[in-house]
Amino acid sequence: RSPSRGLGDVYKRQHGQGAGRQAHDAIVSAVEETIKSGPRTPDLGGTASTTQVGEAIAARVSAQTE
């Protein structure tokens, strides 16, 4: 494997491409917003179940991708 090809692969992983990158960004944003705004699980100072947190994250992802 040539060094230049390896660098290209690193660039793609870091900078992403197309729909995959958009999905990544939407998920990360939704997780960050949920941690900031809630709901939160007890280990983060909240009272929500993991299911409730997951549903909140999924709803935020959906809202961002509509």
Side-chain angles (χ1 to χ4, degrees):
R1 186 169 201 164
S2 75
S4 62
R5 179 166 178 181
L7 291 175
D9 291 344
V10 169
Y11 180 85
K12 286 178 188 175
R13 283 194 300 272
Q14 289 178 346
H15 299 285
Q17 295 181 16
R21 182 58 188 208
Q22 291 171 346
H24 165 272
D25 292 346
I27 293 165
V28 169
S29 176
V31 169
E32 290 174 344
E33 184 60 33
T34 301
I35 290 171
K36 276 195 278 183
S37 306
R40 294 183 196 91
T41 53
D43 60 318
L44 296 176
T47 59
S49 69
T50 54
T51 298
Q52 291 168 320
V53 173
E55 289 170 346
I57 291 169
R60 284 185 167 108
V61 169
S62 291
Q64 290 180 39
T65 58
E66 289 179 343

